Amino acid sequence: MSEWVLEELPPNKVHKATIIKPIVDQNYVPYVHVFLFCSPHLLDLPWEDVLVPHILSYLPLRHVLTLQRVSKPFQSLVHLYLTNCRSFDSTQLGSQMPKSAFCNILKNNAVLQRLDLRSCSDWLTDKELLPIIAQNHHLLYINLNSCVHLSRQTLVAISLSCPHIQNIYLGHSEWVDCLSLRSLADHCKALEVVDLTACRQLKDDAVCYLVHKSTHLKALTLAVNANISDVSIEETAKNCRDLEHLDLTGCLRVKNESIRTLAEYCNKLKSLKVKHCHNVTESSLSILRKRGVEMDVEPPLQRALVLLQDVVGFAPFINLQI
């Protein structure tokens, strides 16, 4: 039978490691060495090469922030992470994050590529946001949906400081006006996704200017805007041939003519939302349906069956191919 003894290796050979050496009879089994390496302390690992990119970056932001309470070295590690993080998503922290915490988290960061501030909408103003925009010139994505306390200065600052922006969400922001949108179109040539839901100051001329300058748009949202008419949609169709998603929900002035133009020019279109567009009918939508474009309104016969089922409690058998 073998006996096991624990032998410590010299410090200059293996860091914090031991060797288990089996003592065996020469006629029993060959002499073997088994190494058991004890894990080093977490903070002994390289911070910038290992901890930040390969560990902290996979943790929810709120968990990373709680590490600051462990010790001063952990606090320094978290500060390093916040300085070098490429993405900040306020929805991970909820709506209770105070202004001071928000400013401290991002005050030293100049490498952000994604910035989502939806959960800051109740208190976020130009005072907090403009310094962050000014020092982050590599932003590709920014979400300011429902940030109602900002001003047009924010959009102008984004257009001047972030020329590589690709995705921008400005839904329910009545501070977005024609001049600030023109500034965005003039300076940001890589726009692919633009959300202008309920930006009620915008009119056809602003949207037409945007689509003339941003010909690589893939997704455009103009929902809940009573000022948008066929003029905007036709110019979008003619200038944005790569358009894949268009949301016109509640655009009451849009009619069949512009939808036909959309079908003619936008062969890559994948989805179209026209719910509550009362002047858009199946005569124009059927062209897109035949191409497999996803829509948020059912064909008339399908809608009738759904209503009938709601009334009588069942849907009679009808051959839809007739």
Side-chain angles (χ1 to χ4, degrees):
M1 295 295 293
S2 301
E3 296 180 1
W4 294 87
V5 294
L6 194 63
E7 178 184 339
E8 186 169 351
L9 290 180
N12 61 337
K13 297 296 183 182
V14 181
H15 176 63
K16 293 185 179 179
T18 57
I19 181 173
I20 294 181
K21 184 186 296 182
I23 303 175
V24 298
D25 183 77
Q26 295 294 327
N27 298 322
Y28 183 58
V29 291
Y31 187 89
V32 294
H33 289 225
V34 180
F35 290 92
L36 298 179
F37 291 93
C38 300
S39 299
H41 191 278
L42 179 66
L43 295 180
D44 291 338
L45 295 172
W47 288 16
E48 293 190 25
D49 295 331
V50 176
L51 290 181
V52 169
H54 299 294
I55 297 179
L56 295 188
S57 61
Y58 291 96
L59 297 176
L61 182 58
R62 67 179 186 277
H63 292 167
V64 173
L65 294 177
T66 57
L67 289 175
Q68 296 179 99
R69 304 174 185 175
V70 176
S71 65
K72 288 186 177 181
F74 269 102
Q75 189 177 46
S76 299
L77 174 63
V78 171
H79 287 173
L80 177 66
Y81 167 77
L82 295 175
T83 300
N84 292 280
C85 69
R86 299 292 196 272
S87 175
F88 177 80
D89 186 353
S90 64
T91 60
Q92 294 185 14
L93 301 176
S95 59
Q96 304 303 318
M97 181 174 58
K99 291 182 184 181
S100 57
F102 169 78
C103 295
N104 286 331
I105 288 172
L106 295 178
K107 66 180 180 180
N108 296 318
N109 192 310
V111 295
L112 279 174
Q113 294 181 357
R114 294 177 58 89
L115 184 60
D116 190 330
L117 299 178
R118 285 174 292 171
S119 293
C120 305
S121 59
D122 291 340
W123 50 263
L124 186 67
T125 66
D126 292 350
K127 181 180 179 180
E128 294 82 34
L129 184 55
L130 288 179
I132 296 170
I133 296 298
Q135 67 192 29
N136 283 279
H137 305 293
H138 304 288
L139 275 173
L140 302 175
Y141 173 107
I142 186 167
N143 193 326
L144 300 175
N145 276 347
S146 300
C147 293
V148 297
H149 302 297
L150 298 173
S151 75
R152 63 184 302 273
Q153 294 181 15
T154 289
L155 190 53
V156 172
I158 292 172
S159 65
L160 297 177
S161 298
C162 310
H164 308 295
I165 198 82
Q166 295 177 353
N167 299 4
I168 186 166
Y169 297 82
L170 302 167
H172 304 279
S173 302
E174 296 193 9
W175 45 268
V176 177
D177 60 8
C178 296
L179 290 178
S180 59
L181 190 65
R182 281 173 174 261
S183 178
L184 181 73
D186 283 335
H187 296 93
C188 301
K189 304 298 186 181
L191 287 173
E192 294 183 356
V193 178
V194 178
D195 184 351
L196 300 172
T197 300
C199 293
R200 301 183 184 184
Q201 289 197 56
L202 299 180
K203 298 180 180 179
D204 281 329
D205 58 342
V207 175
C208 290
Y209 191 87
L210 172 69
V211 297
H212 273 287
K213 294 284 187 174
S214 307
T215 56
H216 300 294
L217 278 179
K218 293 183 179 179
L220 178 62
T221 299
L222 301 171
V224 198
N225 196 326
N227 296 322
I228 301 302
S229 71
D230 282 347
V231 175
S232 293
I233 311 310
E234 290 179 356
E235 288 301 309
T236 299
K238 294 175 182 178
N239 288 279
C240 303
R241 303 295 184 87
D242 294 327
L243 194 68
E244 297 179 359
H245 306 283
L246 180 62
D247 188 347
L248 303 174
T249 304
C251 293
L252 302 178
R253 297 175 61 192
V254 174
K255 301 177 183 178
N256 284 326
E257 287 76 7
S258 61
I259 302 301
R260 293 192 182 98
T261 304
L262 191 69
E264 179 181 355
Y265 287 94
C266 296
N267 295 321
K268 297 181 181 180
L269 195 66
K270 296 179 180 178
S271 70
L272 174 65
K273 295 184 178 180
V274 289
K275 186 174 288 187
H276 306 304
C277 296
H278 303 304
N279 294 314
V280 175
T281 65
E282 190 62 23
S283 64
S284 61
L285 295 178
S286 60
I287 304 171
L288 293 169
R289 287 192 200 280
K290 292 176 182 178
R291 291 193 347 218
V293 176
E294 182 181 344
M295 299 184 193
D296 61 344
V297 293
E298 298 291 343
L301 182 56
Q302 186 67 37
R303 283 197 301 249
L305 286 175
V306 172
L307 291 173
L308 182 60
Q309 185 174 9
D310 290 341
V311 172
V312 302
F314 68 94
F317 174 78
I318 298 178
N319 188 349
L320 297 179
Q321 296 179 346
I322 296 177

